[in-house]
Amino acid sequence: MKITADTGSCVASGQCVLLAPGTFDQDEETGTVVLLAEEPAPGEEDAVRQAELTCPAAAIRLTGA
Amino acid sequence: MTTTEQPPRLPFTRGNALEIAPDYEALRRQAPVSRVLTPAGDPAWLITSYEEAKEVFRDRRFGRSHPAPEQASRISYAAVQDGPSGDFESEEREHKRMRRMLAPAFSAPRMRALGDRIAELTDRCLDDLQAARDADPGAPVDLTDFLAFPLPVLVICELLGVPYEDREKFRGLSERIARMDGGEDAQAAMTEFKAYMTELAEAKRADPRPDVISDMVAVQADDPTFTDDDLARMGAGLLFAGHETTSTRIAMGTLFLLTDTARRDRFAADPEGQVAQTVEEILRLTATSGTGLLRYAHEDVEIAGTRIARGDAVLISSDAANRDAAVFADPDEFDPDRTPNVHLAFGTGAHVCIGANLARTELRTVFPKLFRRFPGLRLAVGIDDIPVRTNRVAGGVDRVPVEW
């Protein structure tokens, strides 16, 4: 599973960081998404899928199995 | 007998605190977008289906300002969510500035850091709840007085830098600005609320602290277009939204858990393991006041085949969307095992609730602590004896009498 996060459309809701703190972080200044790795951190696969679904800006995309 | 058919007028009546009005489903069965009258009697579009709600939340052609505010449909006679807000030309720029300014303070890492403090404050509230019970063991205790109201207030006070001693003052003001038939009194309360925030901002200017009001004052020092009035309105908005909404979810979440003993026992058996999903289900099912979230069309837009003209008011009912059977199986059932549970309790899109992670952190702390300490907690009255606040923008209930 490969993750992409579009900081341009991100609205800094921080839901992804709350769901998968090993995979996502938030920029200290702007609050927008910071991708810590291109693949989910161990054990966070389901949380990352949930993050894609719940992202208010549809800024998180997953490709591959 | 009248021959012209009037659109239904909001708010619709619901059976009890845990339900939503059946009118929403009746409307949704006809169309995702319906013609309604607002509580103030003006025309508006009501969105009741999930897909269209999400679409409008995300569509930048809808905003909170109006091209000709004096002609805009009024929603109610409260002083929040009552009509257009902000300037039509600069809304998007202003909104971006606000989000940029506030996002760091409400970010997930900051909320995680706040977690221990929230836990400490929750313990203190629960001590007070126990003390109230001990003082008069025969009488039920109101969970609103000892937990649902004070906890979110303590937290938002610390975050914003508002003195907790002032709580009765802004509790009163919050109630008055959100009364849908408030009229002049709601406006007067808003003026008073803003004066209070202006005074507070003045104090932070002289003595800045690590809090949101101080951050706003610092931003204002570098940005002359950010007026004292903007700051006061935003501060009052954050203080209002930061406690009313979460208070309601704590009260309603407790009601959801206590109205079914098996449900309560199941949660109390493994609160930490179940809390994340349980909180999402509480958020999905908690009904607010029934007007929904307000937008105005900034140009002509077609939604699900309905033409919405520039300037029309659109009310997005998250309450209804969150119970749309097209997305949620058995939508009226409380089922913490739903996955995914992509509800719209915080809205979505550019205006998504900035305090969502604060609310989640508070709720995920409160319920495990409450049921670890009082696993046998029960409601002292029937659910139908708990009056619903129909007249308030944030909805909610007045009291949650409990025993154990």
Side-chain angles (χ1 to χ4, degrees):
Chain A
M1 192 194 311
K2 189 174 174 301
I3 314 163
T4 54
D6 175 9
T7 48
S9 54
C10 175
V11 294
S13 80
Q15 290 198 49
C16 55
V17 191
L18 213 61
L19 283 162
T23 309
F24 302 102
D25 204 348
Q26 269 179 293
D27 185 280
E28 270 291 316
E29 281 280 298
T30 60
T32 51
V33 60
V34 175
L35 202 53
L36 298 175
E38 285 197 343
E39 301 204 346
E44 288 191 350
E45 289 81 3
D46 284 347
V48 169
R49 274 190 206 101
Q50 182 89 3
E52 182 197 29
L53 286 167
T54 53
C55 175
I60 296 166
R61 303 254 177 223
L62 303 181
T63 48
Chain B
M1 200 179 124
T2 166
T3 47
T4 31
E5 205 187 321
Q6 279 271 19
R9 184 164 178 166
L10 296 167
F12 302 143
T13 308
R14 55 174 147 159
N16 66 41
L18 305 183
E19 296 172 1
I20 67 168
D23 309 55
Y24 290 107
E25 214 209 312
L27 287 177
R28 192 195 306 119
R29 250 187 266 133
Q30 292 165 31
V33 183
S34 317
R35 218 44 178 132
V36 293
L37 295 178
T38 68
D42 286 351
W45 300 102
L46 181 74
I47 315 263
T48 51
S49 71
Y50 181 91
E51 282 310 321
E52 282 72 19
K54 198 165 82 176
E55 189 181 334
V56 175
F57 273 133
R58 285 188 176 165
D59 192 326
R60 286 171 177 271
R61 294 172 297 175
F62 295 94
R64 283 289 284 111
S65 63
H66 192 278
E70 63 291 346
Q71 291 163 25
S73 278
R74 272 199 81 88
I75 306 311
S76 74
Y77 294 98
V80 280
Q81 291 266 333
D82 55 323
S85 63
D87 177 65
F88 185 70
E89 296 305 323
S90 62
E91 178 182 344
E92 209 163 305
R93 197 174 64 235
E94 293 288 317
H95 182 245
K96 272 198 183 126
R97 174 172 72 179
M98 182 194 77
R99 300 293 299 206
R100 249 202 322 274
M101 177 168 65
L102 299 175
F106 290 93
S107 67
R110 201 74 76 85
M111 291 308 118
R112 275 203 301 272
L114 197 64
D116 288 348
R117 183 69 183 134
I118 293 175
E120 204 180 301
L121 294 170
T122 306
D123 286 333
R124 213 199 282 170
C125 289
L126 295 178
D127 289 344
D128 293 345
L129 191 69
Q130 181 66 58
R133 179 76 173 156
D134 294 342
D136 188 1
V141 183
D142 187 355
L143 189 101
T144 314
D145 287 343
F146 295 96
L147 183 66
F149 174 72
L151 181 70
V153 170
L154 282 160
V155 174
I156 199 71
C157 279
E158 288 203 8
L159 205 64
L160 297 184
V162 172
Y164 183 65
E165 307 80 74
D166 292 348
R167 64 189 177 281
E168 287 310 323
K169 181 180 174 70
F170 59 74
R171 182 184 205 171
L173 293 173
S174 294
E175 285 187 6
R176 286 165 60 205
I177 62 171
R179 212 166 277 155
M180 289 202 275
D181 59 357
E184 275 176 29
D185 182 66
Q187 295 302 329
M190 183 51 106
T191 305
E192 214 180 306
F193 210 154
K194 279 166 37 184
Y196 172 72
M197 292 315 290
T198 301
E199 214 173 288
L200 203 58
E202 206 55 59
K204 304 287 178 191
R205 238 169 245 131
D207 181 17
R209 298 288 169 114
D211 58 47
V212 172
I213 308 285
S214 298
D215 292 352
M216 296 204 300
V217 165
V219 168
Q220 195 195 24
D222 298 329
D223 184 352
T225 65
F226 187 35
T227 66
D228 286 345
D229 190 68
D230 291 341
L231 197 153
R233 184 171 288 274
M234 207 179 281
L238 286 171
L239 185 52
F240 166 75
H243 79 273
E244 282 261 341
T245 50
T246 315
S247 287
T248 298
R249 269 70 189 172
I250 295 174
M252 293 289 293
T254 306
L255 291 179
F256 275 113
L257 289 170
L258 294 188
T259 43
D260 180 333
T261 310
R263 186 187 292 159
R264 179 201 66 186
D265 291 347
R266 185 174 169 246
F267 181 75
D270 176 26
E272 291 79 14
Q274 293 186 46
V275 71
Q277 286 286 94
T278 301
V279 162
E280 295 312 309
E281 190 65 345
I282 290 167
L283 290 165
R284 183 182 73 86
L285 285 172
T286 293
T288 54
S289 66
T291 58
L293 289 168
L294 170 62
R295 300 286 187 272
Y296 291 99
H298 285 189
E299 49 189 275
D300 294 352
V301 184
E302 200 177 289
I303 300 290
T306 299
R307 185 181 161 277
I308 295 175
R310 182 175 195 259
D312 283 0
V314 179
L315 294 165
I316 312 165
S317 176
S318 297
D319 295 358
N322 284 343
R323 296 185 188 222
D324 183 344
V327 178
F328 303 99
D330 298 322
D332 296 321
E333 289 301 309
F334 186 96
D335 175 13
D337 293 329
R338 275 174 208 282
T339 178
N341 188 353
V342 191
H343 60 74
L344 298 173
F346 296 112
T348 188
H351 291 270
V352 66
C353 174
I354 199 159
N357 285 333
L358 173 62
R360 284 195 164 99
T361 308
E362 289 183 40
L363 296 172
R364 288 177 189 179
T365 306
V366 165
F367 292 112
K369 282 191 172 290
L370 179 63
F371 285 91
R372 278 273 174 226
R373 186 121 168 217
F374 308 110
L377 196 72
R378 58 182 188 273
L379 212 50
V381 298
I383 188 68
D384 294 327
D385 295 322
I386 295 191
V388 184
R389 290 174 179 166
T390 49
N391 197 22
R392 296 265 292 275
V393 172
V397 291
D398 281 320
R399 58 198 183 94
V400 179
V402 291
E403 301 172 316
W404 60 91

